[in-house]
Amino acid sequence: MTVSELIRPAATPPPLSRSHFAYGRVPPAMRAAELPGICSVRVQDLFADLPEPIHRAGEDPAPVRAAAVAALAGVDMSMIKPGDSVHVLCSEHGFAMMGGTAYAELLRTVRDEIVTRTGATNVKLAVSSAASKFESAEILPAHGLTDYFQGKTFAFGPYDPGIPIDTEIGRLYGVRKAYHAKWLVHVHYDDPREIHYHRVNGRLLKSFTMSYARMETRSIYHTNFPSRSANIVPRAIYESPYIRQRWAFSAVLSTSPTGTMGVDADNDLIAMDRRVGREILRRYGKLVSLFRTIDECFTIADDTRWFPYQHAGGLTACALFENDRDYLDLDLRRDSAQVHKRGNVVKAVVLNSAWKIASTPALTIGVGDRVCRDLMRIHSAQDVLAEPDLPTAVATAIQRTGIDKGIVFDGCYGAINMTHSMAEYLLERAPEVGRQVDEELLPRWLRQRGLEPVT
């Protein structure tokens, strides 16, 4: 097929709902996928070897449950006794992936399997948040999790009271209420956010600093170590006697740019991290590398959660803004001061929908009065333009930057919504990127981590 034949009508993104955390607090009047100039490209038309998923946004989650039951069948739960307390630890970002349906179904299945196989009924869902502990007030009702866990749910954040955890690298601090149970179950996902930090090197352990730790310890991960050695911190916590005596098992939602692939589960998180890390590199490496070829563009923020974590074709905006070099190459040295350098590539951000967070490293164009008022109030020192509607905002972005290559972060997996010029750009470069990853980069990434080659 020719390049023009691979460009399709815009893909339908997951729906947006009212959120207290969003700029403007109400869903936008128009989604970017409804704009006349927006089209889409299937990620499998960019890279044909990307696998078919078992679940996408809006579909019946029954295949996710079946995959979770099959994966958990190989997990030992015999340490959990009927009278024991169990905390099922999860992180709020999982609910931003494909509408959160698959992650919520995994959590429900984990609870059911624990109760059925062990007789334990004191199973609590513990929801961690990045900056506060209030996101669960919207997340739990939206997925019916409060009722499903029979009211046994709670939220926690990095500013809650801590608990000292003595590790091989010294005393660190976890969040007390997260760990206040006889047994811990870690339910996570392999979404490759913030590659410039974890570099798919201990990805599944990242939560032990970024989700379950006090801010003092979490800040070590961001500021005190270069990117490769930062992974020492979560592993030290996971391997500490304090955690090991409470550890039961972990289950992970397995994904690709096409959607949900299945579930992996194991009592040994290190062994599972190696399996999952290999699949992250294989499934996401080509799209990450393709994003790095983008030389100039504007973006449209049109999803839930904070802008850096919004998805396009299964990749978060981090993979565009923080992708100035191949961070999957473990031989690459990195000066932390150079992070966000790719902000020079993104010339403007049209903010149609996003949760409130730090300002973007580009011209920001707000859509609608409510969004613009929030932007100008929260980011008073930033260059912010206000436009009455989405078409006008996009036209302003093109006029102000002189660039018509735009990419939409609207929560889509399986396809990327974008302008025609961006679609042509990515389709033209994808074959060479695919060849380079297959022949040079992926073998190097796997060799550096001691992982088996992909067959």
Side-chain angles (χ1 to χ4, degrees):
M1 297 178 71
T2 65
V3 166
S4 60
E5 290 173 324
L6 294 173
I7 299 175
R8 302 166 182 260
T12 302
L16 296 175
S17 58
R18 171 187 286 270
S19 174
H20 173 76
F21 305 104
Y23 292 106
R25 293 168 292 285
V26 296
M30 181 183 192
R31 300 296 299 277
E34 302 172 53
L35 287 167
I38 297 298
C39 62
S40 74
V41 174
R42 295 172 65 247
V43 294
Q44 288 169 312
D45 287 336
L46 292 168
F47 303 111
D49 60 340
L50 290 176
E52 277 292 310
I54 66 169
H55 176 266
R56 295 183 178 93
E59 296 178 349
D60 184 351
V64 179
R65 173 170 285 269
V69 170
L72 291 167
V75 168
D76 179 15
M77 300 185 189
S78 63
M79 74 291 290
I80 303 174
K81 306 304 179 186
D84 290 347
S85 60
V86 181
H87 280 183
V88 177
L89 300 169
C90 69
S91 299
E92 59 81 24
H93 178 72
F95 300 99
M97 300 165 60
M98 296 167 279
T101 306
Y103 192 51
E105 188 66 12
L106 173 57
L107 291 166
R108 285 190 285 265
T109 309
V110 167
R111 180 201 178 275
D112 291 346
E113 289 295 296
I114 293 172
V115 172
T116 300
R117 291 171 54 181
T118 72
T121 57
N122 188 15
V123 181
K124 294 183 180 180
L125 180 64
V127 184
S128 74
S129 299
S132 70
K133 56 183 177 181
F134 306 111
E135 291 91 331
S136 63
E138 293 180 357
I139 290 169
L140 295 177
H143 296 282
L145 291 170
T146 301
D147 291 339
Y148 204 91
F149 277 75
Q150 301 178 353
K152 297 174 182 177
T153 66
F154 67 92
F156 62 95
Y159 299 103
D160 282 330
I163 187 76
I165 300 175
D166 291 319
T167 75
E168 288 187 321
I169 62 172
R171 175 164 289 184
L172 301 169
Y173 287 85
V175 178
R176 182 186 300 271
K177 66 191 302 186
Y179 293 136
H180 191 61
K182 175 72 173 177
W183 299 108
L184 303 174
V185 175
H186 171 52
V187 180
H188 203 45
Y189 39 83
D190 61 0
D191 174 45
R193 294 178 298 155
E194 297 173 327
I195 292 171
H196 63 290
Y197 279 125
H198 64 76
R199 300 176 75 174
V200 193
N201 185 22
R203 168 67 182 89
L204 297 187
L205 287 83
K206 183 170 174 276
S207 296
F208 287 93
T209 46
M210 295 306 296
S211 295
Y212 313 148
R214 273 279 306 181
M215 182 55 76
E216 298 90 334
T217 291
R218 174 179 162 178
S219 296
I220 293 173
Y221 190 79
H222 274 151
T223 60
N224 288 44
F225 285 90
S227 60
R228 282 187 297 173
S229 56
N231 295 294
I232 294 171
V233 180
R235 180 156 184 167
I237 294 174
Y238 167 70
E239 293 184 337
S240 68
Y242 181 84
I243 298 298
R244 299 309 304 161
Q245 66 187 7
R246 292 166 171 79
W247 180 256
F249 65 90
S250 179
V252 173
L253 189 70
S254 179
T255 67
S256 85
T258 57
T260 303
M261 299 307 303
V263 174
D264 198 347
D266 206 316
N267 298 98
D268 185 345
L269 185 57
I270 302 298
M272 185 164 63
D273 178 71
R274 290 178 61 79
R275 292 197 301 271
V276 169
R278 180 178 182 272
E279 292 306 306
I280 292 174
L281 296 170
R282 184 171 71 90
R283 294 172 182 169
Y284 285 95
K286 290 181 180 178
L287 205 56
V288 170
S289 300
L290 182 62
F291 272 29
R292 194 167 55 254
T293 71
I294 297 174
D295 55 353
E296 59 181 12
C297 69
F298 68 91
T299 66
I300 303 176
D302 192 31
D303 195 9
T304 59
R305 302 306 191 272
W306 303 279
F307 173 61
Y309 296 162
Q310 296 184 340
H311 294 89
L315 276 186
T316 58
C318 297
L320 179 63
F321 278 89
E322 298 159 359
N323 196 6
D324 58 298
R325 64 202 72 183
D326 182 9
Y327 289 111
L328 298 178
D329 184 352
L330 297 186
D331 290 335
L332 177 71
R333 295 177 62 88
R334 190 209 72 177
D335 179 353
S336 61
Q338 292 179 315
V339 173
H340 307 299
K341 183 178 179 181
R342 290 281 288 181
N344 297 328
V345 169
V346 181
K347 306 299 184 181
V349 173
V350 176
L351 206 157
N352 194 42
S353 175
W355 278 13
K356 303 169 188 175
I357 197 174
S359 58
T360 69
L363 168 67
T364 303
I365 304 171
V367 178
D369 290 342
R370 293 175 66 104
V371 169
C372 293
R373 282 199 301 269
D374 270 358
L375 279 169
M376 293 176 178
R377 174 176 57 84
I378 297 169
H379 310 300
S380 58
Q382 187 180 347
D383 184 11
V384 175
L385 292 181
E387 295 293 0
D389 53 52
L390 183 58
T392 305
V394 171
T396 298
I398 295 172
Q399 186 272 325
R400 287 287 295 262
T401 64
I403 299 166
D404 62 357
K405 295 206 301 284
I407 184 167
V408 183
F409 290 92
D410 58 2
C412 277
Y413 278 65
I416 305 173
N417 286 329
M418 63 192 100
T419 62
H420 274 264
S421 58
M422 178 63 85
E424 292 170 352
Y425 181 93
L426 295 181
L427 283 165
E428 288 170 358
R429 283 155 181 77
E432 173 57 22
V433 168
R435 183 206 64 77
Q436 185 182 34
V437 171
D438 283 337
E439 298 178 8
E440 303 170 23
L441 299 182
L442 182 57
R444 179 190 307 161
W445 300 334
L446 295 171
R447 184 175 64 252
Q448 291 168 335
R449 294 162 176 81
L451 302 175
E452 292 296 321
V454 174
T455 58

